[in-house]
Structures are given as C-alpha cells and as structure tokens.
Amino acid sequence: MSNLVLELRQGEVMIVNGAPIRFRTRSRIELTAKARFLFGKQIMAPDQAVSPARRIYFAIQSAYIGSEAEREAGLDAARHFITEFQQATTVELVRMLLDQALVAAEEDDCYAALKLVRRVIQYEDAVLGKTTPAPISSGKPDHHVDVQTGCASL
C-alpha cells in the first residue's frame, strides 16, 4: 500500500480503526499502513440515519469502523435494509448500486460500499425533495438515471 496523506481542518473528526480522533489544529497526516478510517463528512452520526438509504450507510459504516462484533451486526443490518430498499424501489440502477454495495461490504471493501451508498442517498434526497434533482451516475460514462422518472439514459 502506498502512503496516503490527508489534510484535516481544526475541529474535524477522523475515525481510525474504530477510535475517534478530533483535530485541535489544522493537521496534515500520513497513513503508512492499512487502516479502516473515515473523516469529516464521511462520518454519519447515529441520529442522522433517518431515511432508508442513510440507515444502509450507517450499517455499513458500523461494519467498516466498528469492533468485530459491530462489523457482523452492521453487515446483518445492511443486508436487511438493502433488501427492504430494493423491494420498495422501482429504479433498476438503484437496485444495482445496492447490490454492488453489499458485495463490496461482504468482501471487506466497505469504503467502496459507502461510496456507492452515498450515490443512493443523493437519489433518495432528490426523490424526497431534499435536494435539486440531478442525474445519478451508474459509474459508467454517460449512463444516468432521471430521478423524476426513474428512467435510465445513455
């Protein structure tokens, strides 16, 4: 693994291998070994898991940065919430993103799973009127879903 350099602002929080770290000053750090970490806006507090997609995110986050017991419980919760969300949505791209997220989480690539779920959160926010509708990327060039109609375009 190559080293990763992160620059964090004063007051930002970073979780490394389950331990929260608050930065009292602006800091530049270098991770020199593999670590499970999230920082800044990537971290979701329990009270922010107020929608189906956010509950999925929080469950995968728990699997990623929690203890061994929390990891298994987080994966179980993610499976449950993903199944519920997939049964409720008619948008095939959202189902595909959730399938990919679950596979990534089960393969211990929770960071990638969280990135995928963040896209589902954007979709969910647009559908619920919390943000301005914008196309959701499938990760493939020029392949988007209109959040109003749920239709894919190439």
Side-chain angles (χ1 to χ4, degrees):
M1 172 187 162
S2 61
N3 295 351
L4 176 65
V5 177
L6 300 169
E7 196 163 310
L8 297 137
R9 295 177 290 234
Q10 178 181 353
E12 265 193 318
V13 174
M14 179 177 194
I15 299 174
V16 179
N17 293 334
I21 302 166
R22 181 173 310 277
F23 289 83
R24 299 182 87 179
T25 61
R26 182 181 175 130
S27 301
R28 189 177 185 140
I29 64 168
E30 181 176 6
L31 293 174
T32 59
K34 184 176 177 166
R36 295 173 178 267
F37 72 93
L38 293 174
F39 63 94
K41 293 180 182 180
Q42 297 173 336
I43 301 169
M44 181 178 289
D47 64 337
Q48 294 174 316
V50 295
S51 70
R54 283 177 169 74
R55 284 190 281 278
I56 294 167
Y57 187 94
F58 187 77
I60 293 174
Q61 173 184 284
S62 297
Y64 181 47
I65 58 173
S67 66
E68 282 301 318
E70 291 169 323
R71 286 185 189 142
E72 193 53 44
L75 278 176
D76 288 344
R79 287 182 195 103
H80 171 76
F81 294 137
I82 286 172
T83 298
E84 283 185 346
F85 198 113
Q86 288 179 323
Q87 290 172 349
T89 188
T90 59
V91 180
E92 194 57 41
L93 179 57
V94 171
R95 288 183 182 139
M96 180 191 72
L97 290 171
L98 291 171
D99 281 339
Q100 290 174 356
L102 185 55
V103 167
E106 288 175 337
E107 292 176 350
D108 202 27
D109 192 1
C110 290
Y111 192 82
L114 291 171
K115 284 176 65 174
L116 291 164
V117 176
R118 278 194 292 271
R119 291 174 28 207
V120 176
I121 290 171
Q122 290 173 338
Y123 165 79
E124 180 184 64
D125 283 350
V127 168
L128 297 175
K130 293 182 181 181
T131 60
T132 304
I136 262 196
S137 169
S138 67
K140 299 174 185 168
D142 300 324
H143 187 165
H144 301 281
V145 169
D146 183 312
V147 296
Q148 297 291 344
T149 64
C151 296
S153 64
L154 296 175

